[in-house]
């Protein structure tokens, strides 16, 4: 089992819909969770981080963390074509500051 | 969010020469920086972890004599690709760890990346 797993996609959603991106991790002691967005040919940019169980909202983005089930998800409301990118999940294991990245999920928002 | 600047954004060099890429944290001190390589449509591959004032820790399979990393200050790390060959052509990305208190603690911010083409 990979340490951080994401479905590579592509996930295709219509404009205005909710995009749901999922990530599972293997280390139960993981403490910090991050979502990055990477446009083609560009470097990743941080969208948000979450440390505690539950939901964290920032604008159109909501991160959801469930440590018992070892998954973290990212919801994008009112998806726009400009949201089309690869979304990377990153997890810091307990006691480590080195993030482990998933392979990313490609999101396509079509008009 | 914090700003990490990487330079140059694109570089073309001849086979056999060396090229240096700089990574700077502009508004925070970064005791730890990371260097990644990414081939087209592939995932990020961590090359090495760079700690200020000490030797870098390289991931398995990464040649430390070929990819020289220097982290001489809290805001600057450099990656030098020595004796570059066409197979070294890739997208190199640095990131820096913001150890700030509160919500930003241990958050990693990426530089803009550097496209290296070896001809």
């Amino acid at each position: 089992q990979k340490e951080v797993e994401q479905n590579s996609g592509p996930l295709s959603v219509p404009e205005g819909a909710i995009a749901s991106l999922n990530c599972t991790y293997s280390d139960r002691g993981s403490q910090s969770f991050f979502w990055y967005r990477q446009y083609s040919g560009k470097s990743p940019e941080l969208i948000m981080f979450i440390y505690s169980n539950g939901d964290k909202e920032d604008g159109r983005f909501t991160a959801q963390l469930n440590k018992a089930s070892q998954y973290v998800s990212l919801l994008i409301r009112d998806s726009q074509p400009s949201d089309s990118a690869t979304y990377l999940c990153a997890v810091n294991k307990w006691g480590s500051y080195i993030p482990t990245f998933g392979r990313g999920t490609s999101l396509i928002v079509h008009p | 969010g914090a700003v990490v600047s990487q330079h140059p954004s694109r570089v073309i060099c001849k086979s056999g020469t060396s090229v240096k890429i700089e990574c700077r944290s502009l508004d925070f001190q970064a005791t730890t920086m990371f260097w990644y390589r990414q081939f087209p449509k592939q995932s990020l591959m961590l090359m090495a972890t760079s700690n200020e004032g000490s030797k870098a820790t390289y991931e398995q399979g990464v040649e430390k004599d070929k990819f020289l990393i220097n982290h001489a200050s809290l805001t600057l790390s450099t990656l030098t690709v020595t004796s570059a060959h066409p197979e070294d052509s890739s997208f190199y990305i640095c990131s820096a760890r913001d150890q700030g208190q509160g919500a930003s603690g241990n958050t990693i911010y990426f530089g803009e990346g550097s496209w290296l083409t070896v001809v």
Side-chain angles (χ1 to χ4, degrees):
Chain A
Q1 181 187 11
K2 293 180 180 177
E3 295 183 52
V4 180
E5 292 206 56
Q6 295 181 256
N7 187 319
S8 62
L11 172 66
S12 182
V13 301
E15 184 175 357
I18 296 176
S20 178
L21 303 158
N22 299 313
C23 171
T24 59
Y25 58 94
S26 60
D27 182 54
R28 184 169 288 278
S30 297
Q31 295 290 303
S32 310
F33 308 85
F34 306 85
W35 282 101
Y36 291 85
R37 176 175 62 196
Q38 186 176 23
Y39 291 111
S40 180
K42 303 293 185 181
S43 68
E45 57 178 320
L46 180 68
I47 297 176
M48 61 193 307
F49 52 82
I50 186 168
Y51 301 143
S52 304
N53 272 328
D55 294 0
K56 180 181 179 182
E57 187 175 319
D58 184 359
R60 295 187 296 114
F61 300 98
T62 299
Q64 299 176 318
L65 175 61
N66 185 321
K67 291 186 177 181
S69 300
Q70 295 176 238
Y71 80 79
V72 55
S73 61
L74 180 69
L75 302 178
I76 306 175
R77 289 182 299 280
D78 188 24
S79 296
Q80 301 297 309
S82 59
D83 294 326
S84 298
T86 296
Y87 288 80
L88 301 170
C89 170
V91 177
N92 281 19
K93 297 179 187 179
W94 186 86
S96 173
Y97 54 79
I98 302 176
T100 300
F101 283 86
R103 295 178 64 86
T105 298
S106 174
L107 172 66
I108 299 173
V109 181
H110 53 87
Chain B
V3 179
V4 177
S5 176
Q6 192 172 339
H7 178 81
S9 58
R10 289 184 181 275
V11 58
I12 300 173
C13 70
K14 291 184 178 180
S15 185
T17 63
S18 297
V19 61
K20 180 186 287 187
I21 301 170
E22 293 188 348
C23 179
R24 295 180 184 272
S25 56
L26 298 185
D27 53 359
F28 65 99
Q29 293 184 331
T31 55
T32 306
M33 291 185 173
F34 304 91
W35 287 95
Y36 294 86
R37 181 165 59 180
Q38 187 177 38
F39 293 105
K41 300 189 183 300
Q42 300 293 315
S43 60
L44 290 170
M45 187 196 83
L46 179 64
M47 299 175 66
T49 301
S50 166
N51 292 298
E52 185 266 338
S54 63
K55 292 183 178 180
T57 301
Y58 290 81
E59 295 299 303
Q60 190 173 8
V62 178
E63 300 175 59
K64 61 180 180 181
D65 294 330
K66 181 171 183 62
F67 299 100
L68 301 179
I69 292 172
N70 183 283
H71 192 163
S73 77
L74 287 172
T75 59
L76 173 65
S77 176
T78 61
L79 167 69
T80 301
V81 183
T82 63
S83 186
H85 289 95
E87 57 265 31
D88 297 325
S89 299
S90 186
F91 189 41
Y92 291 87
I93 315 172
C94 75
S95 66
R97 174 184 169 221
D98 183 355
Q99 295 172 253
Q101 296 298 313
S104 67
N106 286 321
T107 300
I108 304 298
Y109 295 94
F110 285 87
E112 304 95 328
S114 299
W115 283 100
L116 170 63
T117 303
V118 184
V119 297

